[in-house]
Amino acid sequence: MEIAPKNKKAKMRLQCPMPKLTFDKITLGHGSGGKLTHQLLESGVFDILSNPILDKQHDGAIIEMSGKIAMSTDSFVISPVFFPGGNIGDLAVNGTVNDLAMCGAKPRYLSLSFILEEGLSMEEFWDILLSIKLAAEMADVQIITGDTKVVERGKGDKIFINTTGIGELLPGADISVERISAGDKVLISGQLAAHGIAIMSLREGLEFESDIETDSCNLNHIIAALVENFGTDIKLLRDPTRGGLGTVLNEVAKGANQGIRIEEGKLPVDMQVKGACELLGLDPLYVANEGLFMAVVSPHIADEALELIRSFEYGTHACEIGEVIEEHPKQVVLHSGIGGKRVIHMLVGEQLPRIC
């Protein structure tokens, strides 16, 4: 039986006990490049994330790649850095892994850079490192180079992380908005808005009792299976993070010069998340997600693709939510269960700041 991520992390914590260090908090000295920096890296980063490439401890990394590659970079400044179901560490790995997967690529390597704030506890940093290690193992990627800097107390927010990823394009992948045409089906791999609501549940004055957790996870294994089985019938892949599904749908409609119709009754939203959105005055279509993707696929493979996605742990709630149409090009229109219609516009402004 597959071990749940939470149990894997608990087991890893036992296997990788925190070493005794000179300081119990990050100091400016840890960013000096001297003895404390080396102690932090040797007893923490290099030890936990060890692999043959990273172990060389060079300023960069030499890797072998073949054919076309995909590359993506992202910075993570989420607040708070620990939240229900995860933390900034696994979020940083999953975020870049998923960006590569949306290109139709197999993620292979990541760089990892930390900006640490003076005063961050070593225990918190250790927990973040363990989460990074577990997320990388689950995604089957190697962290091969990186950097660590320390800023004065009050000049950061505990920790910021930058990850850059490189992957190899999957055979048969041809992911492009230009390939979309009328009749194509729009699929979503999971329930909306869980990540954004998990974060908001912790923020000032907005706490409420719930067991809502982030949906953050790696999606690359599902994408690899889709491309392997359906090839060019998988026309577009996007992960609706900041701005949510509503914003991504608008980007796709504009890029394809087509209309998109979605059915309100088909949008998958957990009842607790839906209730929290109503309480906070948020529309699930614009709330951030970190563990689901939207796919535009040829109509004749839509049912089979859904069946495949649902066979994965992170795809059990996958469903078809609409289709690409010739009417109202560059617009997204939502059809309600009572026969009404409304245009779904792109998100204006920042609905939920510091969400990833």
Side-chain angles (χ1 to χ4, degrees):
M1 180 179 292
E2 181 70 13
I3 302 174
K6 285 185 179 178
N7 295 332
K8 286 182 178 180
K9 189 172 180 181
K11 183 178 180 181
M12 184 176 293
R13 196 175 278 114
L14 292 174
Q15 294 174 336
C16 305
M18 183 174 169
K20 293 182 179 179
L21 300 172
T22 307
F23 296 87
D24 62 356
K25 294 185 182 297
I26 295 292
T27 71
L28 288 176
H30 287 108
S32 68
K35 185 176 181 179
L36 288 181
T37 301
H38 283 268
Q39 183 190 60
L40 181 69
L41 296 178
E42 293 287 350
S43 301
V45 178
F46 290 137
D47 188 36
I48 287 183
L49 305 179
S50 175
N51 63 65
I53 301 176
L54 185 64
D55 290 347
K56 295 181 184 297
Q57 299 184 21
H58 200 275
D59 286 342
I62 299 172
I63 56 176
E64 291 185 8
M65 304 288 288
S66 59
K68 291 184 178 180
I69 67 169
M71 181 175 177
S72 180
T73 190
D74 207 347
S75 296
F76 298 84
V77 296
I78 192 166
S79 177
V81 296
F82 291 91
F83 43 84
N87 63 55
I88 193 172
D90 45 55
L91 183 69
V93 173
N94 291 334
T96 297
V97 162
N98 292 344
D99 284 345
L100 290 171
M102 296 306 111
C103 297
K106 176 184 178 180
R108 292 284 307 278
Y109 304 109
L110 295 181
S111 71
L112 176 69
S113 294
F114 298 113
I115 297 178
L116 308 177
E117 183 186 27
E118 180 187 19
L120 173 68
S121 75
M122 290 296 185
E123 186 175 355
E124 287 180 309
F125 186 51
W126 192 259
D127 197 46
I128 289 168
L129 285 174
L130 291 179
S131 296
I132 289 170
K133 176 180 174 65
L134 179 58
E137 289 180 354
M138 294 183 71
D140 193 24
V141 296
Q142 286 185 306
I143 294 165
I144 58 172
T145 189
D147 184 50
T148 301
K149 295 290 190 298
V150 179
V151 297
E152 296 91 338
R153 190 185 302 268
K155 297 294 181 66
D157 193 353
K158 289 192 173 182
I159 178 173
F160 298 150
I161 299 179
N162 173 272
T163 46
T164 296
I166 297 177
E168 295 171 326
L169 198 67
L170 293 164
D174 188 6
I175 309 301
S176 173
V177 71
E178 287 84 6
R179 300 186 57 243
I180 294 174
S181 59
D184 289 341
K185 301 299 183 181
V186 180
L187 314 180
I188 193 80
S189 69
Q191 295 176 317
L192 298 172
H195 177 71
I197 295 303
I199 303 305
M200 291 303 293
S201 71
L202 295 182
R203 290 195 177 164
E204 52 213 287
L206 296 177
E207 292 189 20
F208 46 85
E209 290 186 8
S210 76
D211 54 7
I212 299 171
E213 294 187 346
T214 178
D215 61 346
S216 176
C217 66
N218 63 288
L219 300 168
N220 53 311
H221 302 310
I222 303 179
I223 300 304
L226 282 173
V227 172
E228 180 181 353
N229 282 271
F230 305 109
T232 56
D233 282 314
I234 307 299
K235 296 188 176 182
L236 188 72
L237 298 163
R238 292 291 300 273
D239 54 339
T241 51
R242 287 180 301 170
L245 179 63
T247 297
V248 164
L249 287 170
N250 270 275
E251 292 171 349
V252 173
K254 287 178 172 59
N257 195 26
Q258 299 279 356
I260 295 179
R261 182 183 71 235
I262 58 174
E263 305 292 336
E264 185 177 38
K266 294 183 178 181
L267 295 174
V269 185
D270 176 80
M271 289 304 296
Q272 283 193 91
V273 172
K274 184 176 181 180
C277 285
E278 291 175 354
L279 178 66
L280 298 169
L282 301 175
D283 186 336
L285 280 170
Y286 298 109
V287 177
N289 312 276
E290 287 292 346
L292 62 87
F293 64 90
M294 183 205 73
V296 180
V297 305
S298 298
H300 66 277
I301 61 102
D303 290 340
E304 291 180 78
L306 278 176
E307 186 177 351
L308 178 60
I309 296 169
R310 289 170 183 157
S311 70
F312 286 83
E313 177 186 359
Y314 301 132
T316 54
H317 297 287
C319 61
E320 179 186 319
I321 62 170
E323 67 177 325
V324 179
I325 58 178
E326 293 180 348
E327 294 90 336
H328 53 76
K330 299 186 178 182
Q331 285 191 323
V332 180
V333 175
L334 180 143
H335 290 234
S336 72
I338 58 173
K341 301 178 183 179
R342 70 180 173 100
V343 176
I344 302 299
H345 296 287
M346 190 174 290
L347 177 65
V348 178
E350 183 74 270
Q351 187 182 47
L352 301 176
R354 302 284 303 282
I355 205 73
C356 62

